[in-house]
Amino acid sequence: MANSIEFIPPAYSSRVEPESVARDMLRADRAEIDELVGAGLPYEERAGVRHFDVNDLYNLGMYSGKATTQPELAFRMLFRFAGRPVDDLLRPKTWDFRVTLECPGCDEDAAWKLEEPDVVRFGGEVADLSPLTGGRGSAEYSAMVTTTGARTPLVSPVLRRLTRDYLDAGYRWQMIPVPMQADHELVHALGATSCIAASLFLAERFREAGYRAEARRGWFCGVLGGALDLPHACVEVEDDDGATRTVDIAKAQLAARLSPDTGPFQELCLGSIYNKVIPSTASGNAAFGHHECGSPLPIQVRADIRSARRS
């Protein structure tokens, strides 16, 4: 199991999950955890208890082959939609969108900024908006956000070739801390990939080929019923016909790994838009929020995005 992934480097690792969590996530007993540690799983021991990085645990579970670990079950549930008819992903869909921002250890009144949903230019709508409000330590934002989908496959043979080259390169999808994802050269040097790292990498390749392209961040919606913020990114690129198209490269790659019956969804990811993604105004390696209090600590942004109604 340990040989199937790359562990998070110490500079980006946060080993805070106790061994009891590791056992639950991996459906493993102490002997199996000992075996993983012997094979290189990093840990820190505090008060006689081993603690692990949650990303390492997720990745071990994803590639364990057990079919019973928490990560395997969660991602299989998450991607059930990808094997269904893609027409369901093209219709308007309304989301109850709520975001909480927290500034750890801060008690100063200062202005907040949130990179808000950016759906209107893709045919979506923002309604019932409660603008970002807050003061010391925390702030909140809410809105009813409607997304929609459209089949707009890449036109350029060059863009399609560069996209296919990336998919065929054999990079292994892993859960990776967001700060590490911004260092996409390191991520890919490890043979790994993720939404943000892949989008930054591919946007560079598109620009090198002479195209206007930018990695953009957003939210992946309807995850395990809501209340789970998955960092997401894709590439926006100006195609040969002058239209801006979206390449959701990592979702295509992950869907291909999780199920052989996701071909139509994978193709949808290569230029089209679908209703389970809310793009934001943030660039690919930028934070979703900011608090002008001067604290050196990054703020915490938690999204709770739930289906508002059947549409």
Side-chain angles (χ1 to χ4, degrees):
M1 190 192 303
N3 294 330
S4 62
I5 70 164
E6 290 289 340
F7 297 118
I8 303 302
Y12 295 102
S13 182
S14 179
R15 299 164 191 164
V16 298
E17 300 297 339
E19 186 168 329
S20 58
V21 170
R23 292 188 195 181
D24 287 342
M25 286 180 61
L26 301 179
R27 299 292 191 262
D29 57 25
R30 182 178 179 84
E32 290 175 291
I33 300 298
D34 288 343
E35 183 178 346
L36 289 171
V37 168
L41 174 61
Y43 72 95
E44 292 178 8
E45 187 167 328
R46 294 189 292 277
V49 176
R50 293 181 291 196
H51 291 72
F52 304 92
D53 185 284
V54 69
N55 297 282
D56 287 336
L57 299 178
Y58 261 105
N59 295 328
L60 284 168
M62 274 282 291
Y63 291 93
S64 69
K66 286 185 171 183
T68 58
T69 68
Q70 287 183 7
E72 288 171 296
L73 296 173
F75 276 91
R76 203 155 54 235
M77 182 180 296
L78 167 62
F79 269 82
R80 286 182 302 175
F81 76 91
R84 297 169 181 168
V86 295
D87 288 348
D88 290 344
L89 300 173
L90 302 177
R91 61 186 175 87
K93 178 74 175 175
T94 301
W95 305 94
D96 183 353
F97 179 88
R98 300 174 185 273
V99 173
T100 300
L101 299 87
E102 297 181 355
C103 189
C106 172
D107 60 359
E108 179 180 341
D109 284 321
W112 290 87
K113 179 183 178 182
L114 172 70
E115 300 290 352
E116 299 185 14
D118 186 22
V119 297
V120 174
R121 63 194 177 99
F122 294 104
E125 180 184 2
V126 177
D128 298 335
L129 173 64
S130 294
L132 187 66
T133 57
R136 299 185 178 186
S138 66
E140 295 182 349
Y141 171 101
S142 66
M144 302 299 287
V145 178
T146 299
T147 55
T148 191
R151 282 191 178 92
T152 54
L154 290 171
V155 171
S156 164
V158 174
L159 294 176
R160 293 192 72 88
R161 175 180 58 80
L162 291 171
T163 301
R164 180 51 55 187
D165 287 347
Y166 186 89
L167 291 172
D168 292 342
Y171 294 114
R172 181 182 49 259
W173 190 93
Q174 293 191 187
M175 289 284 281
I176 295 172
V178 171
M180 180 177 166
Q181 291 192 50
D183 189 353
H184 66 90
E185 293 181 352
L186 169 62
V187 173
H188 288 93
L190 294 173
T193 189
S194 62
C195 288
I196 296 173
S199 297
L200 292 170
F201 183 100
L202 195 60
E204 283 190 2
R205 295 299 178 269
F206 287 168
R207 290 193 294 267
E208 289 169 358
Y211 291 85
R212 296 177 60 184
E214 181 183 10
R216 299 292 294 271
R217 287 194 72 179
W219 294 271
F220 189 70
C221 307
V223 180
L224 303 182
L228 177 60
D229 172 20
L230 281 183
H232 178 71
C234 57
V235 180
E236 292 181 9
V237 59
E238 186 177 303
D239 209 336
D240 282 351
D241 60 358
T244 297
R245 292 193 164 83
T246 300
V247 179
D248 195 348
I249 191 70
K251 285 294 184 290
Q253 182 186 49
L254 186 54
R257 183 200 173 274
L258 290 175
S259 172
D261 302 321
T262 57
F265 172 71
Q266 294 174 51
E267 181 61 28
L268 199 68
C269 290
L270 307 185
S272 303
I273 57 173
Y274 59 100
N275 61 19
K276 290 183 75 68
V277 172
I278 297 178
S280 81
T281 54
S283 63
N285 58 355
F288 278 129
H290 178 68
H291 190 212
E292 295 182 0
C293 65
S295 171
L297 299 175
I299 68 169
Q300 303 296 317
V301 181
R302 295 182 176 85
D304 186 341
I305 307 171
R306 300 174 186 266
S307 179
R309 63 174 180 266
R310 300 183 69 87
S311 53

